[in-house]
C-alpha cells in the first residue's frame, strides 16, 4: 500500500512465500485424490507503524499465514480447484483482519497425475507430470475480485510444418529463409476471468479445473493442427496469435489471454572438413539448444475486459 511518510511515498506489503501443502481426499470406495500446492501470500494494509515506530500491533505474523494454509486445507472436505482454494484463503485474510485491505494469493500446483495399470486407473497411485497449473487471486476488502489462471512449462514440439521467411535482412543477418524446420517451445500461458466478485463465479464443482484442462487442450490442438497433415506455421508469432484467438473464441468466460512462447532452437547438424569427407546429415540430426532462444509473447483481450 502507498503511504506518505516524512515527505516520502512508502509502499509496503508483507506475506509468506513457498508454503508447500499437500491434501489427500479418500472416498469410501477406495479411490484417493491428491493435490500439492506451493502457496504465496501477500497482505496489503494501511499500517506502517511496524516500519516507522517499532510497533507490531497491526501485523499478521507470517507464521500465522503459513499455519492458516494448513488449517484451510484441512477444512476442504471435498476436492476443489487451486483457484477455489486461493479464493478461500484471500477471503479469510480480508474478512478476519480489519487491517488487511487486500490479499494476493499465488499458487502453483504440482502436476501429480493418476497412473493406469493394465489400462485401469489406479486407486491411489500417482506419477509426476510436466506442466504446472498456476493461479493468482486478488481480493479486496470491498469484495472486488480478480482471478487469473495459467500454465507453466507446457512443452510443445512438431518436427515439420514450420518455417520462417521474408524477414528483415541487413549486414548482420545470417539466418536463411526456410519452410522446413522443427518448431518447439516451452509455453507459459495465463488468462483472466471476468468475475468481479466471489458471488459471480459459477457454482459448479471444479469449474476452474475443467476450464484449465479445456484451455490447455485448445492451446495444444491449435499448435499441432489435425493428426493427419497438421497445420503450417509461418512463424511463432502467427501460431501464438491463433492459439490466443482460439482460446477467446472458445471460452466466453475468459477476458484476456497472455502467451509467452520461447523459440527453442533445433539446429541441423552437418559435420565437414576441408576434404568434405564427413557425412552430411540431411536435416535428420539436430543440436537442441535454448541458449540463446527467441522470445515471443503477446496479450489478447476482449474490448470490454479490464486489464
Amino acid at each position: 500500500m502507498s503511504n506518505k511518510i516524512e515527505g516520502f511515498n512508502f509502499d509496503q506489503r508483507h506475506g509468506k512465500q513457498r508454503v508447500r501443502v499437500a491434501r489427500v481426499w479418500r472416498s469410501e470406495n477406495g479411490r484417493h485424490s491428491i493435490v500439492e500446492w506451493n502457496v504465496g501470500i501477500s497482505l496489503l494494509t494501511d499500517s506502517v507503524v511496524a516500519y516507522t515506530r517499532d510497533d507490531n500491533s497491526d501485523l499478521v505474523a507470517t507464521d500465522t499465514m503459513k499455519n492458516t494454509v494448513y488449517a484451510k486445507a484441512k477444512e476442504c472436505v471435498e476436492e476443489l480447484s487451486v483457484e477455489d482454494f486461493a479464493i478461500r484463503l484471500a477471503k479469510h485474510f480480508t474478512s478476519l483482519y480489519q487491517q488487511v485491505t487486500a490479499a494476493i494469493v499465488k499458487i502453483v500446483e504440482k502436476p501429480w497425475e493418476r497412473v493406469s495399470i493394465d489400462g485401469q486407473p489406479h486407486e491411489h497411485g500417482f506419477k509426476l507430470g510436466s506442466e504446472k497449473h498456476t493461479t493468482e487471486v486478488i481480493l479486496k476488502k470491498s469484495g472486488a475480485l480478480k482471478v487469473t489462471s495459467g500454465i507453466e512449462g507446457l512443452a510443445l514440439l512438431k518436427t515439420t510444418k514450420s518455417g520462417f521467411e521474408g524477414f528483415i535482412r541487413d549486414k548482420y543477418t545470417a539466418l536463411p529463409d526456410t519452410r522446413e524446420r522443427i518448431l518447439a517451445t516451452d509455453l507459459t500461458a495465463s488468462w483472466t476471468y471476468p468475475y468481479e466478485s466471489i458471488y459471480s463465479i459459477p457454482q459448479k464443482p471444479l469449474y476452474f479445473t475443467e476450464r484449465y484442462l479445456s484451455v490447455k487442450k485448445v492451446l495444444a490442438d491449435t499448435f499441432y493442427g489435425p493428426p493427419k497433415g497438421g497445420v503450417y506455421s509461418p512463424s511463432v508469432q502467427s501460431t501464438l496469435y491463433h492459439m490466443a484467438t482460439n482460446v477467446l473464441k472458445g471460452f466466453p468466460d475468459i477476458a484476456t489471454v497472455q502467451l509467452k512462447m520461447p523459440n527453442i532452437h533445433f539446429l541441423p547438424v552437418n559435420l565437414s572438413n576441408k576434404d568434405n569427407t564427413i557425412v552430411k546429415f540431411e536435416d535428420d540430426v539436430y543440436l537442441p539448444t535454448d541458449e540463446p532462444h527467441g522470445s515471443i509473447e503477446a496479450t489478447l483481450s476482449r474490448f470490454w475486459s479490464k486489464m
Side-chain angles (χ1 to χ4, degrees):
M1 296 293 294
S2 181
N3 298 271
K4 292 189 180 299
I5 302 174
E6 300 175 354
F8 301 102
N9 288 322
F10 181 54
D11 292 310
Q12 55 81 27
R13 65 180 63 181
H14 79 292
K16 199 75 163 180
Q17 303 298 316
R18 303 184 71 176
V19 181
R20 295 180 60 178
V21 58
R23 179 64 160 97
V24 175
W25 292 276
R26 299 176 173 88
S27 64
E28 294 180 357
N29 63 9
R31 186 180 188 274
H32 296 184
S33 297
I34 185 171
V35 293
E36 182 180 342
W37 293 323
N38 191 325
V39 182
I41 300 164
S42 293
L43 301 185
L44 281 64
T45 71
D46 291 325
S47 175
V48 296
V49 294
Y51 299 88
T52 62
R53 301 179 187 175
D54 302 331
D55 181 351
N56 298 332
S57 59
D58 276 350
L59 288 183
V60 180
T62 65
D63 189 68
T64 301
M65 299 181 204
K66 176 201 69 179
N67 295 341
T68 301
V69 171
Y70 301 127
K72 289 299 176 182
K74 174 64 175 176
E75 291 178 7
C76 298
V77 296
E78 295 183 352
E79 190 174 352
L80 78 168
S81 69
V82 64
E83 289 88 352
D84 285 323
F85 186 66
I87 290 169
R88 288 194 184 195
L89 285 175
K91 183 178 179 181
H92 168 84
F93 291 117
T94 54
S95 61
L96 182 63
Y97 300 107
Q98 180 181 356
Q99 300 89 337
V100 175
T101 58
I104 302 172
V105 180
K106 298 181 179 181
I107 306 180
V108 177
E109 181 171 305
K110 206 165 185 177
W112 288 110
E113 301 172 349
R114 190 176 303 278
V115 299
S116 292
I117 306 296
D118 296 330
Q120 296 295 319
H122 201 282
E123 288 184 339
H124 54 265
F126 300 85
K127 66 180 178 67
L128 192 60
S130 53
E131 67 275 358
K132 298 176 181 178
H133 183 173
T134 64
T135 191
E136 179 186 70
V137 169
I138 303 174
L139 180 64
K140 297 181 179 180
K141 189 179 288 291
S142 64
L145 174 72
K146 181 180 180 182
V147 179
T148 303
S149 296
I151 299 170
E152 286 183 359
L154 180 58
L156 304 171
L157 179 149
K158 59 184 183 181
T159 56
T160 189
K161 292 287 181 144
S162 173
F164 189 57
E165 55 188 341
F167 47 89
I168 293 174
R169 292 192 170 278
D170 58 36
K171 64 181 181 179
Y172 302 114
T173 303
L175 186 70
D177 284 359
T178 183
R179 291 186 62 83
E180 180 58 47
R181 65 174 183 172
I182 289 177
L183 179 60
T185 191
D186 192 17
L187 174 68
T188 298
S190 63
W191 55 93
T192 59
Y193 294 91
Y195 310 119
E196 296 183 348
S197 73
I198 293 175
Y199 307 103
S200 60
I201 296 173
Q203 299 301 304
K204 179 182 179 183
L206 297 177
Y207 159 74
F208 287 110
T209 299
E210 291 181 5
R211 181 59 73 243
Y212 166 80
L213 294 173
S214 297
V215 170
K216 183 171 69 169
K217 184 177 187 304
V218 166
L219 291 171
D221 288 356
T222 306
F223 178 89
Y224 294 118
K228 295 290 187 180
V231 62
Y232 181 72
S233 170
S235 65
V236 178
Q237 287 85 344
S238 175
T239 297
L240 180 153
Y241 177 75
H242 288 296
M243 291 166 70
T245 298
N246 285 345
V247 169
L248 291 188
K249 286 180 177 178
F251 306 105
D253 55 355
I254 291 178
T256 301
V257 59
Q258 181 184 61
L259 302 182
K260 298 180 181 180
M261 294 178 60
N263 188 6
I264 308 300
H265 302 301
F266 281 68
L267 306 177
V269 173
N270 284 299
L271 303 178
S272 63
N273 57 22
K274 64 180 181 179
D275 299 322
N276 292 321
T277 59
I278 299 180
V279 66
K280 177 176 171 58
F281 287 98
E282 298 180 348
D283 291 350
D284 51 9
V285 176
Y286 298 85
L287 170 64
T289 179
D290 59 0
E291 295 181 356
H293 64 251
S295 176
I296 296 91
E297 60 183 88
T299 301
L300 195 65
S301 304
R302 303 185 193 279
F303 287 117
W304 47 261
S305 68
K306 296 180 179 180
M307 295 293 292

